[in-house]
């Protein structure tokens, strides 16, 4: 029996005993880590005293400098300020020490480095349906920092390893020797692979989950959204793999975690346990979308252009659960167009036709609508669509070609 | 784009040596051969061009190449390159890829309009070339190989954090794609070799 | 097919083998900087770690600091002997009059150029149009602008790496295309534990005028070369890397004639 279970608090009993039930559901392998047990092991202004940890920090400083100077960073003060405020709210005691960078990379990923700087990939922003979800991921990463997982994991790996110098790993070729190593320290786009450096054990992930849930609940976000994030990610990976006819195996935040159902169950239990009756929890969806603004189109564009139709389709449908609009219909069309299988040209045409009905349809929707009409022999309508495109985007890059089509 | 397979091959080869082989130097086998200033066949031989000065042609490495595609460079593929596509048939890919790969470069289809061909090239850069950002600068009509073709200008940021710039001139002839594409580091290298590219394009002829 | 470095004849012999190779390339017209020149050294990249039994390199801040200090001191001493005026920039924001982004862009282009030099000059994948022509690469007008803004004559890009307690490393083998697309897919050159390179850019023209790689491998633990944590070791590395700088081919021929 789990020792924890005897420590049921009054609060969790008040929540309807959900916690007790959930604790048994996780099975023998892992008793759920309780959020209440998650205390930060790091306070404000932390600096390492052990030699190996100092070495790690020194390397990380260099990495951070590279990242801060990267061409791949999104240079939007509104978004940067928003993320900073967010991590300030859910970062725990170390929140004021954290730095957070947004990188223009379409992967679903976010990472926290041992020195307290976090990098969020733009792909994450695309997939978050509201602010609570984003806060959940950021808080999860903060949890790794606050519970000193990186250094623990690094030390663990010393015992059983085929990893080479940090320099080589950070140069983006994880697992290979340094070879002729020529300077530019970090390829930001490959940071996802680098984080195999910090393979967190299942226990560590459970700790971060619990800590993350606790941090966001304390800040007034609905902690249930944390488990929704993983639900969405798993769904996406399954869709992507199914399209290719193989098992889910994309490298992502959760590569090393076999038991996702258990994690989701744990997070649901955490959420039930954490909610204080009578308190209002919010997910701040409107605020999140307002902050993203026009950047959302960039995010969709980057994702769709990866040509991963399974994942992109799933993603668009998930976002459409909150309501279809011209933007989503247009990108749905783009997914079909780029997939280019038998019948996809018809599907794409239908999506473009649907998109242009909405007032928010992007200019490009009109151009592609025009091209599909042209191919269907509906020349008059095509020309009208092209004309509309040019009124919306008179200086479009392909304006010269489009004008020729209009004749 | 052929740089990866070459380096991987070299890696395998050199790794076997007990001592490092920095002295491999400039003799022995290189993946590049010289192209001199005279009319020469490119790709699968359906098209010929004349370079204005000697360039370096990448030898086909069997398991990665599509016969219709050929790469040239002046300073090395990290810095500049010209890619020739000669008679790519409808329903074929520009690069070899496994069906099970997560991210796919789309097939060429003979009914593709220039924006669609441009989109196919953009996919190539994003999915295979490691581009994290890609901007289309212009798509305009341009005569090529005696027919109505197009010119596509673009730039892209790659995951080595370097901006590169490119221009592709192409046309669909008898349902097959013919294209000459120039891609180089935006700083210095693009401007330096653009005149070469334009001369090569002007000299391009189809073989009867 | 593969040529062995001159010094590597040693490797062919007995058990205690060791191998140090350097090979310089220079512009045919390259003359050593002399008189009073201003040299900018950009963000020397120094790493020293401890190689654990499992083959992991554990980064050691104290050793890296030592090595960096020694390398910089050795560099200053060496350049002072030549009469140069040296400035070492550690962080991108330390160069007055030059924005961090500008400097970053020059470094990134330099990275691509250096990769090309190594690939096409050292690893055997030579470009026929450049064969036998010394060093034929440039950073172009961005480097010239850097020189104009800062008043420096040359820029030196330097990398030094060392791991103590040598061990053979696993050969890179074929890592797969994905790995090779990222930056430089480089072969692990034998059991290299100390790998240092330097490239010298003439900021009046933007050209890379001189390039050298020092690759010191010890196949047997205990035999160390130019141990970077000691001042002597660092001096030895700098001497090997930069000190034996030779003028370009055309200049040497002209001098030989005299």
């Amino acid at each position: 029996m789990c020792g924890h279970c005897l420590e049921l608090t009054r609060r969790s009993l008040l929540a309807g005993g959900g916690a007790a039930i959930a604790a048994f559901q996780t099975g023998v392998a892992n008793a759920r880590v309780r959020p209440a047990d998650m205390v930060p092991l790091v306070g404000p202004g932390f600096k390492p005293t052990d030699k190996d940890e100092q070495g790690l920090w020194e390397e990380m400083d260099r990495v951070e400098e590279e990242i801060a100077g990267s061409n791949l960073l999104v240079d939007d003060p509104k978004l940067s300020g928003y993320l900073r405020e967010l991590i300030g709210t859910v970062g725990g005691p170390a929140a004021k020490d954290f730095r957070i960078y947004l990188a223009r990379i379409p992967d679903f990923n976010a990472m926290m480095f041992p020195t307290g700087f976090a990098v969020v990939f733009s792909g994450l922003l695309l997939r978050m349906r509201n602010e609570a979800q984003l806060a959940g991921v950021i808080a999860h990463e903060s949890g790794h920092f606050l519970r000193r997982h990186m250094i623990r994991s690094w030390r663990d790996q010393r015992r059983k390893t085929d990893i080479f110098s940090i320099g080589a790993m950070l140069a983006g070729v994880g697992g290979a020797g340094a070879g002729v190593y020529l300077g530019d320290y970090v390829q930001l786009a490959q940071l996802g692979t680098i984080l195999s450096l910090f393979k967190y054990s299942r226990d560590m992930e459970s700790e971060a989950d619990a800590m993350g849930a606790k941090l966001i609940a304390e800040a007034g976000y609905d902690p249930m959204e944390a488990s929704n994030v993983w639900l969405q990610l798993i769904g996406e990976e399954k869709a992507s793999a199914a399209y290719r006819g193989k098992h889910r195996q994309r490298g992502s935040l959760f590569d090393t975690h076999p038991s996702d159902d258990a994690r989701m169950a744990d997070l649901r239990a955490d959420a039930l346990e954490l909610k204080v009756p009578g308190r209002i929890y919010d997910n701040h969806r409107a605020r999140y979308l307002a902050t993203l603004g026009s950047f959302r189109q960039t995010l969709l564009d980057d994702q769709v252009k990866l040509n991963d139709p399974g994942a992109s389709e799933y993603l668009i449908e998930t976002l459409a659960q909150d309501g279809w609009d011209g933007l989503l219909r247009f990108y749905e069309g783009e997914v079909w167009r780029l997939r280019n299988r038998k019948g996809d040209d018809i599907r794409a045409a239908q999506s473009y036709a649907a998109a242009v009905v909405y007032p928010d349809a992007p200019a490009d929707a009109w151009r592609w609508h025009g091209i599909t009409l042209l191919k269907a022999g509906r020349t008059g309508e095509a020309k009208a669509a092209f004309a509309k495109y040019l009124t919306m985007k008179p200086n479009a890059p392909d304006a010269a070609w489009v004008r020729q089509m209009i004749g | 784009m052929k740089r990866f397979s070459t380096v991987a091959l070299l890696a395998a080869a050199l790794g076997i040596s007990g001592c490092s082989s920095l002295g491999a130097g400039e003799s022995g086998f290189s993946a590049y051969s010289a192209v001199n200033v005279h009319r020469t066949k490119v790709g699968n031989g359906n098209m010929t061009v004349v370079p204005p000065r000697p360039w370096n042609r990448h030898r086909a490495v069997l398991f990665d190449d599509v016969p219709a595609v050929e790469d040239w460079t002046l300073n090395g593929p990290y810095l500049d390159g010209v890619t020739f596509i000669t008679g790519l048939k409808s329903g074929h890919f520009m690069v070899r890829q496994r069906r099970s790969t997560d991210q796919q470069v789309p097939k060429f289809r003979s009914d593709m309009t220039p924006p669609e061909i441009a989109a196919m090239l953009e996919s190539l850069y994003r999915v295979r070339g490691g581009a994290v950002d890609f901007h289309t600068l212009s798509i305009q009509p341009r005569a090529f190989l005696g027919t109505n073709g197009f010119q596509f200008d673009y730039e892209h940021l790659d995951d080595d954090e370097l901006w590169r710039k490119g221009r592709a001139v192409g046309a669909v002839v008898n349902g097959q794609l013919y294209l000459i594409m120039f891609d180089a580091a935006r700083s210095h290298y693009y401007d330096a070799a653009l005149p070469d590219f334009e001369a090569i394009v002007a000299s391009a002829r189809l073989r009867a | 097919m593969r040529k062995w470095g001159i010094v590597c004849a040693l490797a062919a012999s007995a058990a205690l083998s060791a191998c140090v190779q350097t090979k310089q390339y220079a512009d045919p017209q390259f003359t050593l900087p002399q008189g009073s020149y201003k040299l900018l050294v950009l963000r020397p990249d120094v790493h020293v770690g401890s190689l654990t039994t499992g083959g992991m390199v554990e980064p050691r801040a104290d050793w890296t600091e030592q090595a960096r200090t020694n390398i910089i001191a050795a560099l200053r001493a060496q350049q002072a002997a030549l009469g140069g005026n040296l400035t070492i920039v550690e962080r991108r924001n330390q160069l007055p009059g030059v924005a961090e982004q500008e400097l970053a862009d020059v470094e990134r282009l330099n990275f691509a150029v250096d990769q090309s030099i190594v690939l096409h000059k050292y690893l055997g994948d030579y470009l026929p149009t450049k064969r036998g022509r010394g060093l034929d690469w440039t950073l172009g007008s961005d480097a010239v602008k850097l020189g104009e803004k800062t008043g420096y004559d040359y820029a030196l890009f330097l990398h030094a790496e060392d791991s103590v307690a040598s061990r053979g490393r696993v050969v890179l083998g074929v890592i797969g295309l994905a790995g090779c697309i990222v930056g430089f897919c480089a072969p692990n050159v034998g059991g290299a534990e100390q790998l240092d390179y330097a490239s010298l850019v003439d900021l009046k023209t933007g050209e890379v005028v001189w390039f050298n790689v020092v690759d010191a491998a010890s196949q047997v633990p205990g035999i160390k070369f130019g141990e970077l944590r000691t001042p002597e070791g660092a001096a030895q590395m700098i001497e090997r890397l930069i000190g034996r700088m030779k003028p370009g081919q055309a200049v040497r021929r002209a001098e030989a004639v005299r």
Side-chain angles (χ1 to χ4, degrees), chain B residues 6-7 19-20 30 75 187 189, chain C residues 8 19 21 126 130 138 185 215:
Chain B
T6 310
V7 184
C19 183
S20 60
S30 164
N75 289 289
S187 176
Y189 285 88
Chain C
C8 271
C19 174
Q21 284 197 91
Y126 64 87
K130 293 201 188 284
T138 181
C185 172
D215 174 23

Side-chain angles (χ1 to χ4, degrees), chain C residues 177-190:
Chain C
L177 287 185
C180 292
I181 291 173
V182 172
F184 191 55
C185 172
N188 186 4
V189 212

Side-chain angles (χ1 to χ4, degrees), chain C residues 147-158:
Chain C
E148 281 167 0
K149 279 191 183 180
T150 58
Y152 286 94
D153 303 307
Y154 295 95
L156 184 71
F157 295 84
L158 177 67

Side-chain angles (χ1 to χ4, degrees), chain A residues 51-52 54-56 58-59 61-62 65-66 68-71 154 157-159 161-169 171-185 187 190, chain C residues 43-45 47 52 54-62 64-65 68 90-92 101 104-105 108 111 114-115 118 159 161 169-170 172 175 179 182-184 186-189 195 197 211:
Chain A
K51 282 236 152 56
D52 61 346
Q54 283 176 338
L56 199 63
E58 160 129 356
E59 297 277 349
D61 275 341
R62 181 93 191 198
E65 194 193 9
E66 283 297 330
S70 169
N71 272 333
W154 175 249
Q157 287 189 88
R158 285 186 57 182
R159 280 168 235 135
T161 181
D162 53 5
I163 301 174
F164 297 87
S165 82
I166 269 202
M169 284 181 288
V173 190
V180 183
Y181 174 71
L182 292 179
D184 206 12
Y185 207 91
Q187 271 85 41
Q190 297 299 316
Chain C
R43 307 205 312 147
D45 206 9
H47 308 271
T52 66
M56 258 176 61
V57 176
E58 185 185 293
R60 286 290 300 264
D62 50 344
T64 299
E65 247 339 278
R68 184 176 283 134
E90 289 268 14
R91 291 270 129 94
R92 286 195 180 125
Q101 188 58 45
D105 285 342
R108 283 159 188 153
F111 181 36
D114 286 351
Q115 284 179 324
V118 172
H159 169 84
E161 183 168 334
R169 285 198 201 155
V170 172
L172 184 77
I175 219 187
V182 172
F184 191 55
N188 186 4
V189 212
L195 190 67
Y197 81 89
F211 193 93

Side-chain angles (χ1 to χ4, degrees), chain C residues 6 10 22 28 37 58 78 112 125 141 152 167 171 188 242 247:
Chain C
I6 308 156
L10 285 173
T22 76
Y37 57 89
E58 185 185 293
Q78 192 239 13
D125 216 12
S141 55
Y152 286 94
R167 263 294 192 133
V171 160
N188 186 4
I242 299 168

